[in-house]
Amino acid sequence: MQIPMLDLSGQYQHIKYEIDEAIREVLDQGTYIMGPELKEFEDNIADFLGVKYAIGVASGSDALLLSLHALGIGPGDKVIVPTFTFFATAGAVSRLGGIPVFVDIDSYSYNLNLDQVETILQKNKNVKAIVPVHLFGLPCDMNRIMALSEKYGVFIVEDACQAINADAICKERVSKTGTIGHTGCFSFFPSKNLGAYGDGGMVVTNDDNLAQQIRILRAHGSNPKYYHKIVGYNSRLDTIQAAVLNVKLKYLDDWTQKRVAVASQYNCEFKSCGLADKIVCPQIQKGHVFHQYVIQVDARDDLAVYMKEKGIGTSVYYPLPLHLQECFTGLGFQEGDLPVSEAACHRVLALPIDPELTEEQIKYIVGTIQDFFERVQKK
Ligand SMILES: *Cc1c(COP(=O)(O)O)cnc(C)c1O
């Protein structure tokens, strides 16, 4: 059996007719930048998430960059970010001249350790913002994060790039992740839960001023056109990608439910195969959208090689925490500083989580892992 980590063209085959039609309409109509499909998609996303404004940008990375820029983050400003995340979370801070303040994660949730965040906020008057990441699709504790924001006067930019359609609880209300902070950032990178056929991203906010500011920033800071009060970016979501995403958004609820079902089945299989002492499975928490299904094991690298031999794709998110990346050596972090993240980097393994994965395929994957621990490793 061959099970790739991800098969995007398989998904395309299911919706090919609608997608081809949507792309052809854009091609025929001819407004390839800022066309009507973009406005339509922004309205659809705002509706879907329950937020006032949605602004299409060129990528999730730019969604973070434009958000922080609009909030006034600049040279010397400190921004708290988790060290265990995709690079863009911290890259956006550095691109603006800001200083990423790396914080460790909770080992069970992979999200920011909020006790450490609070300790830093108590000691540090120069922190301007926090970028909580809903990693692998699991919502952060937004109740506590918004309480910290109010208590210490810091902005919250939610990195929801892996968590579109996830539910978080804040002030006794259930809201979509990304709609609770001052801004929320989404990515439509092809492998994300809602993926385009190229790069794409979105900033959402309920704040009139921030929305206006981000619209101006994505068009070189111009308002009106050709008159520039500030220096901005060329960062728009293409009309063709918006048209593709308009089609795919209709399927997102269904795909999300299927991902959660796949994750539940993995957990059941792992439970019944008696490897509880060898494998740490993710907890199925309400609101989780399982962008990735990530287990922790010893001998991770040997297991990945073995699975590859058996035709199963896996990935490591992430092999090196951000505080130990070469480009951040100047910040003075050392190995051992953020131990939970460092340990996770050696132990995490993401398994295939395609919504269309069958029961038989899941059994094969878990069975292969069982073989590795019971036969291969014992030799
Ligand atoms: C994918 C991702 C991004 C960036 O998205 P791009 O669209 O690839 O620029 C940012 N943060 C996290 C956590 C991501 O997973």
Side-chain angles (χ1 to χ4, degrees):
M1 208 185 291
Q2 290 290 324
I3 309 173
M5 180 61 198
L6 186 68
D7 175 18
L8 292 171
S9 63
Q11 186 202 55
Y12 168 62
Q13 295 309 321
H14 282 134
I15 51 174
K16 184 175 164 46
Y17 176 78
E18 278 181 283
I19 294 281
D20 291 0
E21 200 56 29
I23 292 176
R24 207 183 350 257
E25 269 174 41
V26 177
L27 293 177
D28 283 337
Q29 197 268 341
T31 317
Y32 305 133
I33 297 287
M34 303 294 274
E37 287 80 0
L38 175 62
K39 173 80 169 59
E40 196 184 317
F41 181 58
E42 289 174 337
D43 291 347
N44 288 342
I45 280 280
D47 259 8
F48 182 84
L49 297 175
V51 69
K52 211 161 159 190
Y53 302 106
I55 303 131
V57 294
S59 66
S61 302
D62 274 9
L64 291 159
L65 186 64
L66 271 64
S67 287
L68 292 167
H69 189 148
L71 288 166
I73 303 303
D77 290 337
K78 292 188 168 157
V79 177
I80 291 175
V81 296
T83 189
F84 190 74
T85 176
F86 179 61
F87 180 78
T89 314
V93 177
S94 292
R95 291 265 312 268
L96 292 166
I99 302 166
V101 178
F102 293 112
V103 171
D104 215 340
I105 51 165
D106 269 338
S107 60
Y108 85 95
S109 72
Y110 300 103
N111 285 334
L112 268 177
N113 180 325
L114 297 178
D115 292 331
Q116 283 183 23
V117 169
E118 179 141 30
T119 305
I120 289 170
L121 290 171
Q122 280 164 350
K123 282 196 259 176
N124 228 306
K125 295 285 164 282
N126 198 19
V127 174
K128 295 276 167 64
I130 307 171
V131 187
V133 181
H134 308 290
L135 202 73
F136 304 144
L138 177 68
C140 296
D141 178 354
M142 289 309 294
N143 215 15
R144 182 151 178 217
I145 287 170
M146 294 319 290
L148 291 173
S149 164
E150 281 159 31
K151 184 166 173 196
Y152 295 95
V154 293
F155 294 119
I156 306 298
V157 172
E158 286 180 75
D159 182 337
C161 289
Q162 300 187 2
I164 194 160
N165 206 17
D167 288 320
I169 296 170
C170 187
K171 294 182 177 154
E172 281 151 41
R173 269 191 55 196
V174 177
S175 304
K176 294 289 176 202
T177 52
T179 66
I180 301 165
H182 296 88
T183 74
C185 302
F186 294 94
S187 166
F188 306 120
F189 185 81
S191 64
K192 298 289 159 90
N193 288 20
L194 180 62
Y197 295 137
D199 277 307
M202 185 76 76
V203 181
V204 303
T205 183
N206 285 306
D207 185 300
D208 305 357
N209 267 330
L210 283 174
Q212 160 97 348
Q213 211 38 29
I214 288 160
R215 282 217 172 85
I216 292 171
L217 281 173
R218 77 172 166 183
H220 283 299
S222 64
N223 182 35
K225 206 172 179 184
Y226 304 121
Y227 293 84
H228 302 260
K229 282 200 202 87
I230 52 173
V231 178
Y233 307 82
N234 174 2
S235 185
R236 278 124 359 170
L237 178 63
D238 299 352
T239 312
I240 286 182
Q241 299 304 343
V244 165
L245 291 164
N246 266 325
V247 171
K248 285 194 169 195
L249 182 59
K250 292 182 291 186
Y251 295 93
L252 184 58
D253 272 331
D254 181 44
W255 289 334
T256 306
Q257 279 169 22
K258 286 180 172 161
R259 278 175 183 275
V260 175
V262 170
S264 307
Q265 208 205 326
Y266 267 127
N267 273 19
C268 281
E269 297 291 334
F270 279 124
K271 207 176 218 169
S272 62
C273 78
L275 289 172
D277 58 326
K278 297 255 190 317
I279 298 169
V280 181
C281 292
Q283 297 182 352
I284 312 278
Q285 192 175 307
K286 215 169 172 314
H288 197 329
V289 293
F290 284 95
H291 172 58
Q292 297 297 348
Y293 180 89
V294 174
I295 59 170
Q296 285 196 45
V297 289
D298 290 332
R300 187 264 320 276
D301 294 338
D302 292 344
L303 174 61
V305 169
Y306 180 72
M307 291 180 75
K308 193 171 176 205
E309 283 166 18
K310 299 290 169 188
I312 303 167
T314 60
S315 288
V316 173
Y317 305 112
Y318 294 91
L320 186 65
L322 297 185
H323 70 283
L324 300 179
Q325 297 286 344
E326 197 175 335
C327 64
F328 292 132
T329 45
L331 296 175
F333 284 89
Q334 271 161 15
E335 209 167 329
D337 284 349
L338 302 171
V340 180
S341 300
E342 291 169 27
C345 287
H346 290 115
R347 291 173 46 83
V348 287
L349 189 66
L351 306 181
I353 181 88
D354 193 307
E356 305 300 330
L357 224 53
T358 64
E359 207 172 310
E360 194 195 358
Q361 287 175 313
I362 296 168
K363 284 196 155 87
Y364 177 67
I365 293 168
V366 173
T368 305
I369 294 172
Q370 193 173 11
D371 278 352
F372 174 80
F373 282 112
E374 289 176 355
R375 292 216 291 269
V376 184
Q377 224 191 12
K378 289 231 168 93
K379 271 189 205 152

